[in-house]
């Protein structure tokens, strides 16, 4: 069976590209189509399978402004010839799902989110230009809705995204959580020195952009005086450094090896934004550390947290973290402050075992098992997922044995 994988753009190795890598493991001979491609920015396996890139990619200096070419995406995506493929899998948060496939082709969309630029967050992205751009937004919405009707099966990365798909596209979806590869974290047993250093500081990690709400964390830690590490870069970094007190330390970009070390050594990860899914919290739980995360979005599904403001939900047994209360009556920084205070008062109740068990719920093994079931249900080729499941199960059992011995 001929398989094509469609991805919006390949300009870095983030969560979406890691999902593409997983699908390439299932269908190693699949051809990849994308609007923009920067070789060397993802992985050799992905670069090798790139079959077709849109004509927009030939524009000078396009990697600096490719998102601004949104009005040209409809024409660019129509140029892909997919008529000879039996199965098309689009991995989409923008235009990929709007491809036109052959009459006898099965099209499955693995949806990261409906396009935020033109739906619920148009104002956040366009600001004061929203009114001027409204005719364009309406055109893109019609195009996006038409593309959604051509998808045979939607697959959402979380129930939160499944609800957004129902809202904007009036389509039902299956939920298959993204594969979170924690092997680079969990395979390395923490040394005695690292174990001794656990509890050095709280941790924030990720892009320093407005919707991550890192400013609320900085304000809360300015008040409580606890040590805080901030890892990541972005447009908000300069302002965050300006308002941060001396107990808050910025590290910028760090390699995976250092990030894994910080995961293991932190007291807890603070994650105050609304995420579609959120891979970073799962990585931190794989290192055995708990999460203090916002009670909304995909985190409700990925964190087994305690809602301390509800007496009936204050049982801490088996919990992997604390939720930050979604309270419109108070600033978010106050909610972060209260959640951190509750965590500090009960810190010893959050165990390494509980955190690691929660992280395993979102392993690559679970992803391949879920895809295998969906493929059989849709009567399409499950690819190599059966073989991968067997190998991962063997490896997982060995990892648990080693982990138990280490404890």
């Amino acid at each position: 069976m001929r398989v094509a994988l469609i991805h919006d753009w390949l300009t870095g190795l983030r969560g979406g590209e890691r999902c593409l890598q997983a699908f390439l493991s299932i269908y190693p001979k699949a051809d990849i189509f994308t609007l923009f491609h920067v070789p060397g920015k993802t992985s050799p396996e992905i670069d090798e399978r790139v079959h077709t890139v849109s004509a927009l990619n030939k524009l000078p200096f396009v990697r600096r402004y490719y998102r601004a070419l949104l009005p040209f995406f409809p024409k660019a995506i129509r140029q892909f010839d997919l008529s000879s493929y039996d199965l098309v899998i689009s991995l989409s948060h923008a235009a990929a799902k709007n491809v036109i496939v052959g009459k006898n082709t099965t099209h499955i969309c693995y949806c990261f989110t409906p396009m935020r630029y033109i739906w619920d967050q148009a104002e956040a992205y366009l600001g004061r230009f929203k009114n001027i751009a409204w005719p364009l937004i309406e055109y893109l919405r019609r195009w996006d809705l038409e593309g959604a009707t051509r998808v045979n099966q939607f697959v959402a990365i979380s129930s939160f995204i499944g609800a957004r798909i129902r809202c904007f596209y009036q389509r039902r979806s299956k939920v298959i959580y993204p594969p979170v590869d924690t092997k680079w974290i969990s395979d390395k047993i923490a040394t005695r020195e690292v174990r001794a250093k656990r509890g050095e500081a709280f941790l924030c990690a990720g892009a320093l952009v407005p919707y991550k709400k890192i400013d609320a964390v900085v304000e809360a830690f300015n008040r409580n005086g606890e040590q805080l590490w901030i890892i990541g870069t972005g447009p908000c970094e300069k302002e965050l450094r300006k308002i941060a007190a001396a107990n808050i330390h910025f590290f910028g970009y760090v390699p995976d090896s250092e990030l894994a070390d910080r995961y293991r050594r932190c007291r807890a990860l603070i994650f105050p934004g609304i995420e579609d899914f959120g891979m970073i919290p799962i990585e931190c739980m794989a290192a055995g550390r708990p999460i203090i995360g916002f009670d909304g979005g995909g985190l409700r599904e990925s964190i087994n947290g305690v809602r301390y403001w509800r007496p009936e939900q204050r049982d801490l047994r088996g919990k992997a973290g604390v939720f930050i209360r979604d309270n419109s009556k108070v600033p978010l920084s106050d909610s972060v402050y209260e959640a951190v205070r509750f965590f500090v008062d009960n810190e010893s109740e959050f165990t390494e075992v509980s955190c690691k068990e929660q992280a395993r719920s979102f392993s690559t093994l679970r992803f391949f098992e879920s895809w295998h079931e969906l493929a059989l249900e849709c009567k399409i080729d499950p690819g190599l997922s059966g073989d991968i499941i067997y190998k991962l199960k063997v490896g997982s059992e060995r990892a648990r044995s080693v982990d138990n011995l280490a404890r």
Side-chain angles (χ1 to χ4, degrees):
M1 188 172 72
R2 293 201 68 196
V3 179
L5 301 173
I6 321 297
H7 201 277
D8 291 305
W9 45 75
L10 300 171
T11 59
L13 190 58
R14 297 172 290 269
E17 290 77 16
R18 294 184 191 278
C19 292
L20 177 63
Q21 185 82 49
F23 276 110
L24 207 53
S25 297
I26 300 172
Y27 303 105
K29 294 184 179 181
D31 294 327
I32 296 175
F33 292 71
T34 188
L35 290 172
F36 307 100
H37 177 221
V38 182
K41 289 293 185 179
T42 53
S43 72
E45 294 81 11
I46 290 175
D47 284 347
E48 183 183 340
R49 297 308 306 172
V50 172
H51 180 275
T52 301
V53 183
S54 77
L56 296 176
N57 197 60
K58 298 178 181 179
L59 295 174
F61 311 110
V62 70
R63 66 183 64 180
R64 296 182 185 176
Y65 58 85
Y66 60 91
R67 289 183 179 88
L69 296 174
L70 177 62
F72 303 99
F73 288 0
K75 184 175 182 180
I77 208 78
R78 280 197 297 267
Q79 303 305 310
F80 294 156
D81 182 7
L82 301 167
S83 58
S84 64
Y85 291 91
D86 303 295
L87 173 64
V88 169
I89 302 171
S90 58
L91 293 85
S92 181
H93 77 278
K97 76 167 194 319
N98 295 325
V99 293
I100 298 174
V101 303
K103 185 177 180 181
N104 298 315
T105 304
T106 299
H107 179 190
I108 297 178
C109 174
Y110 190 63
C111 187
F112 302 122
T113 181
M115 203 187 310
R116 294 188 179 279
Y117 322 121
I118 62 173
W119 295 107
D120 58 326
Q121 291 193 19
E123 189 167 349
Y125 282 98
L126 299 174
R128 64 181 183 275
F129 298 106
K130 179 184 174 183
N131 292 337
I132 300 173
W134 190 249
L136 173 63
I137 292 173
E138 287 188 319
Y139 161 71
L140 291 172
R141 284 183 175 182
R142 290 192 297 271
W143 165 71
D144 204 38
L145 285 170
E146 182 186 351
T149 64
R150 295 195 297 268
V151 174
N152 297 107
Q153 175 69 62
F154 271 99
V155 179
I157 63 170
S158 64
S159 296
F160 173 62
I161 293 303
R164 287 171 52 78
I165 292 170
R166 286 198 307 275
C167 175
F168 297 120
Y169 300 148
Q170 293 79 53
R171 295 289 304 273
R172 294 188 178 276
S173 59
K174 301 282 185 180
V175 175
I176 297 181
Y177 294 115
V180 185
D181 181 14
T182 59
K183 201 170 185 293
W184 56 284
I185 301 168
S186 56
D187 269 11
K188 184 178 178 182
I189 300 171
T191 63
R192 289 183 181 179
E193 182 182 358
V194 169
R195 288 179 182 275
K197 288 182 178 179
R198 273 191 171 162
E200 285 185 79
F202 289 90
L203 173 66
C204 257
L208 304 185
V209 293
Y211 82 91
K212 296 284 187 180
K213 307 295 184 184
I214 308 298
D215 57 332
V217 180
V218 170
E219 291 171 15
F221 277 76
N222 282 345
R223 289 170 56 191
N224 66 25
E226 299 281 1
Q227 294 293 308
L228 174 67
W229 296 332
I230 296 181
I231 291 175
T233 60
C236 296
E237 183 175 357
K238 185 177 180 180
E239 184 61 30
L240 291 172
R241 286 179 179 269
K242 189 184 299 183
I243 65 173
N247 57 305
I248 300 173
H249 310 278
F250 292 81
F251 294 87
Y253 167 80
V254 301
D256 283 351
S257 57
E258 184 177 342
L259 179 59
D261 184 59
R262 297 286 175 180
Y263 282 151
R264 296 188 194 97
R265 290 163 53 189
C266 75
R267 295 173 71 176
L269 175 77
I270 317 291
F271 215 75
I274 296 179
E275 293 288 326
D276 298 330
F277 176 66
M279 289 189 172
I280 287 176
I282 295 167
E283 292 175 352
C284 191
M285 287 189 290
R289 310 314 296 149
I291 312 299
I292 302 174
F294 188 74
D295 186 20
L299 295 188
R300 286 180 175 173
E301 301 167 58
S302 58
I303 300 173
N304 180 21
V306 58
R307 295 176 175 85
Y308 61 89
W309 60 93
R310 297 180 183 174
E312 74 278 9
Q313 293 191 28
R314 295 187 68 156
D315 186 357
L316 301 179
R317 288 174 295 182
K319 298 297 184 182
V322 176
F323 279 117
I324 297 168
R325 188 176 185 178
D326 182 7
N327 188 350
S328 59
K329 296 180 181 179
V330 300
L332 179 58
S333 60
D334 288 353
S335 296
V336 173
Y337 181 88
E338 291 296 329
V340 172
R341 187 169 67 176
F342 178 85
F343 174 83
V344 170
D345 291 343
N346 300 275
E347 192 165 357
S348 61
E349 300 293 327
F350 300 96
T351 67
E352 180 180 343
V353 174
S354 296
C355 294
K356 287 187 173 182
E357 283 300 316
Q358 182 67 10
R360 287 189 181 106
S361 301
F362 303 95
S363 65
T364 51
L365 172 60
R366 176 172 176 168
F367 174 81
F368 289 125
E369 287 177 330
S370 298
W371 178 259
H372 192 83
E373 292 173 6
L374 178 73
L376 295 178
E377 184 180 324
C378 294
K379 298 180 180 179
I380 61 172
D381 183 3
L384 299 179
S385 54
D387 295 336
I388 297 170
I389 290 168
Y390 172 75
K391 291 176 183 177
L392 285 175
K393 279 185 174 178
V394 173
S396 179
E397 289 168 3
R398 288 174 180 167
R400 285 175 188 250
S401 299
V402 171
D403 199 33
N404 289 334
L405 286 172
R407 285 199 292 269

